[in-house]
Amino acid sequence: MAGGNWTRVEEFILLSFSSLPTEVQSLLFLTFLIIYLVTLMGNSLIILVTLADPMLHSPMYFFLRNLSFLEIGFNLVIVPKMLGTLLAWDTTISFLGCATQMYFSFFFGVDECFLLATMAYDRYVAICSPLHYPVIMNQRTRAKLAIASWFPGFPVATVQTTWLFSFPFCGTNKVNHFFCDSPPVLRLVCADTTLFEIYAIVGTILIVMIPCLLILCSYTRIAAAILKIPSAKGKHKAFSTCSSHLLVVSLFYVSLSLTYFRPKSNNSPESKKLLSLSYTVGTPMLNPIIYSLRNNEVKNALGRIFQKALGLRNCIP
């Protein structure tokens, strides 16, 4: 880049939680490492169990596998680098590395919004049209829905990341965050970013609101259908089939809204870091736990797998 005081930025420095004492950073490292391992193991276990047990080959668990795969990818993009910065192994990230991290964080974040909406539609069909559920949600349909859920992340991530990193950077190269998120990187740009900011705000609202409205519409119809069930036992059974998904949706959208839709006056960099942890670190860990503890089919499948594993071990001479 030429002209003025502009310099070509070759790398960025992630400040992460550098303002905290070293002892606190070490404690955070240990905490996030445990959460990271639990997240990887929990989501991997969900994928393996739903693939291994024939009882879990329904559309609901097909989409759950997609969600677990997405959460693993999201964590791999963000958490390892954050752990490195906490122990000051390497607080720098290359220009291309920063762009790549931002691209995939957008990609997985957008896709999770749409995948959660697809899962809500699946629950709507299961509860409101139980007799036609196997026909409506056949293998072809669920594959199309999965592709439709994964696709929006590509254009959104490509446009936003390419546009942002085409701006000139000057002055400091310090990103006041634990990963290359759009707002802190945008602050380092020395050019007029008004048009980009308008696009980013409108795009974020649409990406969050469209799936959210689809989820609300699905659950409104689900609630109406459940209220028509005469027996309390039937109502409880119907609600239990979607309670785990509803809890996951609530956690994700609450944390995402608090992170990106708070007034700027109440949105200090440190508070945003803490809020970002909720959807980048907390939610991916809680999702498999919620589905395991609140879903009898998953618990029973885990029991069967462990029994088979113990049985095979006992048979070995």
Side-chain angles (χ1 to χ4, degrees):
M1 298 173 191
N5 294 321
W6 294 356
T7 56
R8 181 178 294 276
V9 173
E10 300 292 340
E11 64 181 18
F12 295 95
I13 299 173
L14 295 172
L15 296 182
S16 190
F17 300 96
S18 58
S19 60
L20 298 175
T22 305
E23 296 79 8
V24 177
Q25 291 190 59
S26 299
L27 182 61
L28 287 176
F29 171 84
L30 182 60
T31 303
F32 293 148
L33 177 61
I34 293 171
I35 292 174
Y36 177 59
L37 294 176
V38 170
T39 300
L40 293 183
M41 288 188 293
N43 283 289
S44 297
L45 189 61
I46 289 288
I47 293 172
L48 293 174
V49 169
T50 55
L51 282 173
D53 196 302
M55 300 293 290
L56 302 183
H57 287 180
S58 66
M60 173 183 173
Y61 297 105
F62 168 76
F63 294 122
L64 180 57
R65 283 196 297 274
N66 277 263
L67 180 63
S68 292
F69 182 80
L70 187 151
E71 299 290 22
I72 290 172
F74 197 41
N75 254 236
L76 289 173
V77 168
I78 294 174
V79 179
K81 186 62 183 179
M82 180 181 69
L83 293 175
T85 59
L86 281 170
L87 287 189
W89 288 336
D90 186 9
T91 59
T92 63
I93 184 170
S94 67
F95 186 90
L96 180 60
C98 188
T100 302
Q101 189 182 55
M102 183 181 293
Y103 178 91
F104 283 104
S105 65
F106 279 137
F107 172 74
F108 287 119
V110 170
D111 288 344
E112 183 158 359
C113 290
F114 284 92
L115 185 57
L116 290 173
T118 299
M119 294 173 76
Y121 173 73
D122 171 70
R123 292 299 83 208
Y124 157 72
V125 177
I127 292 173
C128 297
S129 303
L131 297 178
H132 298 96
Y133 178 64
V135 177
I136 296 174
M137 298 300 292
N138 55 55
Q139 288 189 353
R140 192 188 194 101
T141 301
R142 72 180 80 163
K144 288 180 179 179
L145 288 171
I147 292 170
S149 300
W150 282 93
F151 175 74
F154 286 107
V156 172
T158 300
V159 171
Q160 190 144 335
T161 305
T162 304
W163 192 353
L164 177 52
F165 280 88
S166 67
F167 285 120
F169 292 88
C170 57
T172 181
N173 64 340
K174 296 179 180 179
V175 179
N176 194 8
H177 210 344
F178 57 82
F179 75 101
C180 287
D181 198 9
S182 178
V185 173
L186 189 63
R187 294 190 188 100
L188 308 182
V189 172
C190 44
D192 184 8
T193 60
T194 304
L195 190 59
F196 174 84
E197 290 181 59
I198 293 172
Y199 159 80
I201 292 171
V202 174
T204 302
I205 292 172
L206 290 176
I207 289 164
V208 172
M209 292 305 299
I210 291 174
C212 189
L213 289 173
L214 293 173
I215 291 169
L216 287 174
C217 182
S218 295
Y219 275 105
T220 299
R221 297 197 171 194
I222 288 171
I226 290 175
L227 290 174
K228 292 178 182 178
I229 299 175
S231 66
K233 185 178 180 180
K235 288 179 180 178
H236 176 73
K237 185 178 179 180
F239 179 74
S240 65
T241 63
C242 57
S243 59
S244 297
H245 176 257
L246 191 57
L247 183 55
V248 167
V249 167
S250 300
L251 288 172
F252 179 75
Y253 273 97
V254 168
S255 60
L256 197 67
S257 299
L258 288 174
T259 303
Y260 290 102
F261 295 112
R262 294 177 71 204
K264 284 190 175 181
S265 57
N266 300 327
N267 204 11
S268 68
E270 298 306 317
S271 65
K272 186 168 183 180
K273 289 178 194 177
L274 293 174
L275 289 170
S276 296
L277 286 172
S278 60
Y279 78 90
T280 57
V281 178
T283 303
M285 178 194 69
L286 291 173
N287 287 353
I289 295 174
I290 291 170
Y291 275 102
S292 298
L293 296 180
R294 296 181 62 87
N295 192 303
N296 288 327
E297 290 181 335
V298 174
K299 287 191 286 187
N300 293 336
L302 284 169
R304 287 192 293 271
I305 289 173
F306 284 129
Q307 285 177 0
K308 286 181 180 178
L310 291 173
L312 288 172
R313 186 175 297 176
N314 292 334
C315 292
I316 297 175

